[in-house]
Amino acid sequence: MATTSMFLTLLLLVCFFALMIGVGFYSRKHAKSVDGFVLGARNVGPWLTAFAFGTSYFSAVIFVGYAGQFGWNFGLASTWIGLGNAFIGSLLAWNVLGRRTRVMTQHLSSNTMPDYFGKRFCSNGIKIAASVIVFVFLIPYTASLYNGLSSLFGIAFDIPYIAIILVMAALTAVYVIFGGYMATAINDFIQGIIMLGGIVAVVAAVLADNGGLSKAVGALSLLESPYAETAGHAGAFTSFFGTQPLYLLIVIILTSLGTWGLPQMVGKFYSIKNEDAIKRGTIISTIFAIVVAGGCYFLGGFGRLYADKITNDPGTFKQFDKIVPTMLSGLPDIVIAVVIVLVLSASMSTLSSLVLTSSSTLTLDVIFGRKEQVSEKKKILVLRLFIVFFVVVSALLAILKDTYNFSMIAQMMGISWGALAGAFLAPFLYGLYYKKTTKAAVIVCFIYGVGIEVVQLLISLNVFSVSGPVLGFVFRNSLYSGSIAMIGGLILVPLISLITPKLNAKKVDEMFSCYEDTVNVNVKKSLGNG
């Protein structure tokens, strides 16, 4: 990289880091109470909430890893993953969960997902179990955010990967510790703007590098599919459903429906300001997802045009992480500089959301779960200490994985999303809508979701193997097992609820009474009954 361009990149990074830290100090006034530190006092507007949702959703894992892997596998049909993320993971999630989550969690005075489970199902044991699941599976998921950074920074700088991890972790910790949720939300908005502009610029630059959209698609259409479903067919990489339609559907289900059960995603609905903010946030979040996720996967669809530049076998995850950086390596220096800031933005926004979710869960639900007489000041101090703890542990895991290639850490990263969504999605959704959901059903779903992914982990580590048409399909990889965990939970919870003891009807009716409260709105919001 030319000296002038390297200087420009460094200047952009310094300005970016200074802005993030500045926002952290600015947001200190919002972080004086637990409610303010964790949820922004439930007074966050539509733009900040929508961008916080979107930037927590789409990290460097998607831009570097998933875009490269699924673009390589499916071709241009991988764009369906981005559209699924937009319309199922964003639009439908906001419509189905947004309002009810905001109303119910405020009514129950719950600040975290485990706390919601504990109060909704009248069980401290369920709250503790949910907290343990969050603790165990969010840390490796957090560590995965550093993936791909080394290969991207390697294009511009000769900087050790460990240094990149440490700088990113330290800067994220600083602004989250000082400003809490509001610092995270404001920085997410800034980082989201960078992501929107960056992905548009990168897609345009890659297409121009290949002679424009028509020529790039034409070149891709000449490639033959190596997969059994479409073996030997030229044009499979530009076809409507791609090379492996069933596998594509599985990926869409996991990456889109999975957000409905992830605590760091659902937590954004706790903090939104009002009804109008939910309506506007739904639109903003969906458009953000169309551009960012759609753009990432569309970009990855052209990865095979660079097959001759990708060394070794791109069938391995480490090689998948090199596909997108290889596509970018020949672009103008200014575009590479923008991409580096883009990927840092995506990584830091998701990292901040995850460490805040993890620390608040451990502090409020486990450490102080049953201690009423604890000062706000002490709770916030412990929250900040655990933010440091989670940032340090995630950084160490990322360093260990890269240095010693620990397969356990790598596989844990892959199953984290499926375990969290498999355990939480169905209980959370039915808890908002279905009065007859039982404690037993929730416990069964927790065991089922986590159990499937633990089996997947053991298979991945070659502890044992499975075969046969059913087990072979379910445990083909963590994407398949994660999708089965989520769908199975949606079936299990109502079935188990039919045959197990119900909660006290009077208590449940009181919980759901929050949806019956009458509020007055002006005619801009409702035409009334006249």
Side-chain angles (χ1 to χ4, degrees):
M1 198 174 192
T3 305
T4 304
S5 297
M6 187 179 294
F7 174 76
L8 176 61
T9 305
L10 284 171
L11 182 62
L12 284 175
L13 289 174
V14 170
C15 292
F16 173 73
F17 292 147
L19 184 59
M20 298 299 103
I21 294 173
V23 167
F25 280 96
Y26 166 78
S27 302
R28 284 182 298 171
K29 60 185 178 183
H30 298 286
K32 295 179 180 178
S33 67
V34 171
D35 198 46
F37 192 92
V38 176
L39 298 176
R42 299 184 191 267
N43 196 38
V44 184
W47 284 92
L48 292 185
T49 303
F51 272 65
F53 186 91
T55 53
S56 296
Y57 196 167
F58 309 118
S59 66
V61 176
I62 288 178
F63 182 76
V64 177
Y66 279 10
Q69 177 184 350
F70 299 129
W72 183 272
N73 287 336
F74 307 131
L76 292 184
S78 62
T79 308
W80 284 112
I81 305 171
L83 296 178
N85 295 170
F87 293 109
I88 300 173
S90 296
L91 178 63
L92 198 57
W94 276 72
N95 276 295
V96 174
L97 300 178
R99 183 178 172 280
R100 281 191 168 248
T101 298
R102 173 66 172 79
V103 174
M104 177 70 87
T105 55
Q106 184 173 23
H107 181 67
L108 297 177
S109 298
S110 70
N111 293 325
T112 67
M113 183 181 273
D115 189 39
Y116 160 80
F117 284 133
K119 290 176 177 175
R120 169 63 181 85
F121 300 106
C122 306
S123 171
N124 191 62
I126 284 179
K127 181 175 77 170
I128 297 300
S131 300
V132 171
I133 294 170
V134 170
F135 177 79
V136 170
F137 290 101
L138 269 193
I139 287 184
Y141 181 33
T142 303
S144 71
L145 300 176
Y146 303 97
N147 283 1
L149 287 176
S150 59
S151 50
L152 275 172
F153 268 79
I155 299 174
F157 308 107
D158 185 20
I159 301 176
Y161 182 42
I162 293 176
I164 299 168
I165 292 173
L166 294 177
V167 169
M168 175 181 152
L171 289 168
T172 304
V174 167
Y175 76 73
V176 179
I177 287 168
F178 279 106
Y181 183 82
M182 282 304 296
T184 299
I186 294 170
N187 276 331
D188 284 350
F189 179 77
I190 296 167
Q191 291 159 349
I193 295 293
I194 295 170
M195 290 168 68
L196 284 171
I199 194 63
V200 171
V202 170
V203 170
V206 168
L207 290 178
D209 188 48
N210 285 278
L213 178 62
S214 296
K215 285 188 176 180
V217 173
L220 196 63
S221 69
L222 299 177
L223 302 179
E224 292 187 357
S225 169
Y227 303 109
E229 295 91 329
T230 50
H233 294 178
F237 290 107
T238 55
S239 63
F240 198 71
F241 291 122
T243 58
Q244 305 167 86
L246 180 59
Y247 188 22
L248 176 62
L249 177 62
I250 291 292
V251 175
I252 292 172
I253 291 172
L254 183 73
T255 60
S256 301
L257 196 59
T259 60
W260 296 36
L262 298 181
Q264 76 275 16
M265 302 298 300
V266 175
K268 302 299 184 289
F269 299 134
Y270 288 40
S271 60
I272 198 162
K273 189 175 184 179
N274 53 34
E275 183 82 18
D276 184 58
I278 292 173
K279 292 177 181 176
R280 292 167 62 193
T282 302
I283 298 169
I284 297 165
S285 178
T286 304
I287 294 172
F288 183 90
I290 290 172
V291 175
V292 174
C296 282
Y297 287 111
F298 177 74
L299 173 70
F302 294 99
R304 284 187 179 262
L305 297 182
Y306 297 80
D308 59 325
K309 298 179 182 178
I310 300 170
T311 57
N312 301 324
D313 176 22
T316 62
F317 287 105
K318 205 158 191 176
Q319 293 304 313
F320 280 138
D321 286 347
K322 293 180 180 179
I323 293 173
V324 170
T326 300
M327 296 172 69
L328 304 175
S329 60
L331 298 182
D333 292 340
I334 184 62
V335 176
I336 293 175
V338 169
V339 169
I340 289 172
V341 178
L342 181 161
V343 173
L344 265 180
S345 297
S347 299
M348 290 175 69
S349 59
T350 308
L351 178 62
S352 64
S353 178
L354 291 173
V355 297
L356 187 58
T357 299
S358 302
S359 62
S360 59
T361 295
L362 199 57
T363 302
L364 303 180
D365 300 330
V366 179
I367 305 299
F368 298 124
R370 286 191 165 183
K371 298 178 181 178
E372 299 295 334
Q373 303 302 319
V374 180
S375 68
E376 295 276 294
K377 190 174 181 180
K378 185 173 182 179
K379 286 182 180 179
I380 292 174
L381 174 62
V382 175
L383 273 167
R384 286 174 167 148
L385 290 174
F386 273 116
I387 286 171
V388 174
F389 170 76
F390 278 103
V391 168
V392 169
V393 170
S394 66
L396 285 176
L397 285 176
I399 292 170
L400 286 172
K401 174 183 171 292
D402 183 73
T403 305
Y404 299 104
N405 196 28
F406 282 173
S407 58
M408 177 72 170
I409 295 173
Q411 297 301 335
M412 280 286 286
M413 291 175 179
I415 69 169
S416 293
W417 181 297
L420 289 164
F424 295 153
L425 189 159
F428 190 84
L429 176 62
Y430 286 115
L432 294 176
Y433 280 90
Y434 185 45
K435 289 184 179 182
K436 295 181 179 180
T437 307
T438 65
K439 286 195 289 188
V442 175
I443 294 169
V444 168
C445 194
F446 282 7
I447 295 171
Y448 169 76
V450 171
I452 279 188
E453 291 308 295
V454 170
V455 171
Q456 181 69 67
L457 174 64
L458 295 175
I459 292 170
S460 301
L461 295 172
N462 297 316
V463 175
F464 60 83
S465 61
V466 296
S467 59
V470 176
L471 291 179
F473 177 84
V474 172
F475 296 107
R476 176 176 171 180
N477 57 45
S478 60
L479 296 167
Y480 278 76
S481 58
S483 298
I484 298 298
M486 289 188 295
I487 295 170
L490 291 171
I491 298 169
L492 275 176
V493 169
L495 288 179
I496 299 296
S497 295
L498 289 175
I499 59 174
T500 51
K502 306 295 183 287
L503 294 170
N504 182 286
K506 188 175 180 180
K507 284 186 177 180
V508 176
D509 286 341
E510 194 283 325
M511 293 177 198
F512 277 75
S513 67
C514 61
Y515 298 134
E516 307 300 327
D517 290 345
T518 300
V519 294
N520 295 318
V521 297
N522 57 41
V523 293
K524 287 190 290 186
K525 304 265 179 28
S526 173
L527 294 176
N529 298 320

